[in-house]
Amino acid sequence: MERVIAMLPDVQLLKPEVPIGLSRVGATGIKKLVEVQREGKRPIILISSFDVFVDLPAHLKGVNLSRNFEVIDEVIETLTSQPIENIEDLVVEVAKNLLDRHEYATNAEAKMTAELIMRKRTPKTRQRTQEVVRIFGEAKISRNGKKLVFVGVEVTGITACPCAQELVRARSAERLAEMGFDDDAIQRILDAVPVASHNQRGRAMLKVQVTDSFKVPIAKLIEIAKTSMSYETFEILKREDELEVVEMAHRNTRFVEDGVRIMACNLLKAFPEAPDNVLAFLRQENEESIHQHNVVAERYATFGELRNEIGSAGTAADSPNP
């Protein structure tokens, strides 16, 4: 039996019927446990999902996918045997090892995605609760020495629509006037009482390039991403907390476009030392409540481009979140 197996051809090395190169071939959804150390705190255990790819030249029929799984197992075992400070080091090592194992490839990619469970407190009663934040690291490396590495986060929150609120405000002013209130009284009433609007659950994504000399803490990216929306959401809310969330969200209405722009301002504010050529990707998606579609806004730019556009005129609004 061993002799028969030894005589079997390596099908991946055969010539393909259609000899064209492929940009990416690999595997997705590979689940692994990753332990991330924290100074002075207990380590974080992440249930992580890996996507790995290499390019394939035109003369080969396929890649040896078993090598991809071996790379992830070996690299994670090696790196978790000692403290890991950030996830970007892990994806870089996976990508490097992919190139080592696939000698025909010129490019390799590795992406890690995980859900981070964070503890926080509700805004009024200060009750303990938890929050799920999606974090990820991405690495693309080439044999010619090029390397592109990102870390990122995705958080959820609530957004309130400013357009619908203005419509409700105008209708309310008309009704108050019909009831005999003068303009000054109407203005004071509308300032005192939060005006209704339709809401969305928002998802803010922020991805920033990291280099050997420029790093970004995941916790800081989470903080910045949260500022893009009208307010935070919570798993558990007492009545006082629910009132605070709804009122604050309606006093801080945001278009989906506002979210990306405010994120950009706060990103520059948080990392003034970031080199001009460092890339950032900002994305806000709102799941509409009165429409059957979602709305999305995105921006992909360098820090230098954002600085030139925002200039001294752009001052980010302070986050209303607790």
Side-chain angles (χ1 to χ4, degrees):
M1 178 64 69
E2 292 181 359
R3 183 178 179 183
V4 172
I5 293 176
M7 295 174 60
L8 292 176
D10 192 342
V11 179
Q12 287 89 352
L13 299 180
L14 299 180
K15 185 177 180 180
E17 291 81 4
V18 181
I20 63 170
L22 301 178
S23 302
R24 301 169 80 208
V25 179
T28 64
I30 305 169
K31 303 288 186 181
K32 294 294 176 183
L33 283 178
V34 175
E35 182 176 334
V36 181
Q37 297 289 338
R38 297 185 297 170
E39 185 176 353
K41 298 181 180 179
R42 291 183 300 174
I44 299 173
I45 306 298
L46 299 174
I47 301 176
S48 305
S49 178
F50 287 85
D51 299 340
V52 291
F53 303 96
V54 294
D55 62 329
L56 184 67
H59 68 276
L60 291 179
K61 189 175 183 67
V63 303
N64 188 338
L65 289 180
S66 64
R67 296 183 186 179
N68 292 356
F69 300 108
E70 291 170 5
V71 165
I72 292 176
D73 279 329
E74 291 177 13
V75 171
I76 291 177
E77 285 295 323
T78 300
L79 290 182
T80 54
S81 65
Q82 49 191 323
I84 299 174
E85 295 184 0
N86 50 62
I87 62 175
E88 58 262 37
D89 290 343
L90 182 56
V91 290
V92 167
E93 287 303 313
V94 171
K96 286 181 178 178
N97 278 267
L98 281 172
L99 277 185
D100 291 341
R101 298 298 182 90
H102 299 273
E103 64 283 348
Y104 50 81
T106 57
N107 302 293
E109 300 178 33
K111 179 177 180 180
M112 168 188 160
T113 305
E115 289 187 339
L116 174 64
I117 308 297
M118 299 180 62
R119 292 183 173 88
K120 65 178 183 179
R121 293 184 181 272
T122 57
K124 277 297 184 182
T125 65
R126 310 306 294 170
Q127 182 173 344
R128 290 180 180 271
T129 184
Q130 295 184 351
E131 177 181 24
V132 178
V133 175
R134 183 170 169 261
I135 65 174
F136 50 90
E138 302 174 2
K140 298 180 182 180
I141 64 173
S142 303
R143 290 198 188 277
N144 61 11
K146 291 183 178 179
K147 181 172 67 173
L148 190 60
V149 185
F150 287 92
V151 293
V153 302
E154 184 179 82
V155 303
T156 60
I158 179 175
T159 58
C161 176
C163 182
Q165 188 180 71
E166 284 305 310
L167 294 174
V168 174
R169 182 187 296 273
R171 174 67 61 84
S172 300
E174 290 176 1
R175 288 173 175 168
L176 288 169
E178 292 170 357
M179 295 170 64
F181 291 93
D182 60 30
D183 290 344
D184 182 64
I186 291 173
Q187 188 60 51
R188 286 188 289 114
I189 291 170
L190 294 179
D191 288 343
V193 180
V195 178
S197 182
H198 74 92
N199 313 130
Q200 307 97 2
R201 175 177 291 181
R203 294 199 304 272
M205 176 185 289
L206 177 58
K207 185 167 67 173
V208 177
Q209 182 185 2
V210 294
T211 66
D212 294 337
S213 58
F214 176 68
K215 304 292 185 181
V216 291
I218 288 289
K220 180 60 70 175
L221 295 183
I222 293 172
E223 180 183 326
I224 296 168
K226 286 183 177 182
T227 66
S228 72
M229 291 168 283
S230 297
Y231 209 74
E232 291 187 47
T233 52
F234 298 82
E235 184 65 25
I236 298 175
L237 289 171
K238 296 293 187 181
R239 294 178 68 183
E240 302 97 314
D241 299 313
E242 187 172 344
L243 173 62
E244 181 74 3
V245 170
V246 172
E247 182 168 357
M248 291 301 295
H250 285 78
R251 293 192 182 279
N252 189 46
T253 56
R254 299 265 174 91
F255 285 124
V256 68
E257 298 92 339
D258 295 326
V260 170
R261 288 167 172 154
I262 289 169
M263 249 198 300
C265 285
N266 286 329
L267 181 65
L268 297 182
K269 185 177 178 181
F271 300 105
E273 78 287 358
D276 280 344
N277 63 345
V278 166
L279 291 165
F281 176 73
L282 307 93
R283 186 179 195 271
Q284 176 74 32
E285 180 173 2
N286 290 344
E287 300 175 355
E288 292 282 9
S289 58
I290 65 172
H291 304 293
Q292 295 185 1
H293 57 263
N294 294 350
V295 290
V296 176
E298 295 181 348
R299 180 62 196 270
Y300 187 72
T302 65
F303 272 72
E305 289 169 338
L306 293 177
R307 288 186 179 111
N308 289 337
E309 290 184 42
I310 294 173
S312 59
T315 55
D318 292 333
S319 171
N321 298 343

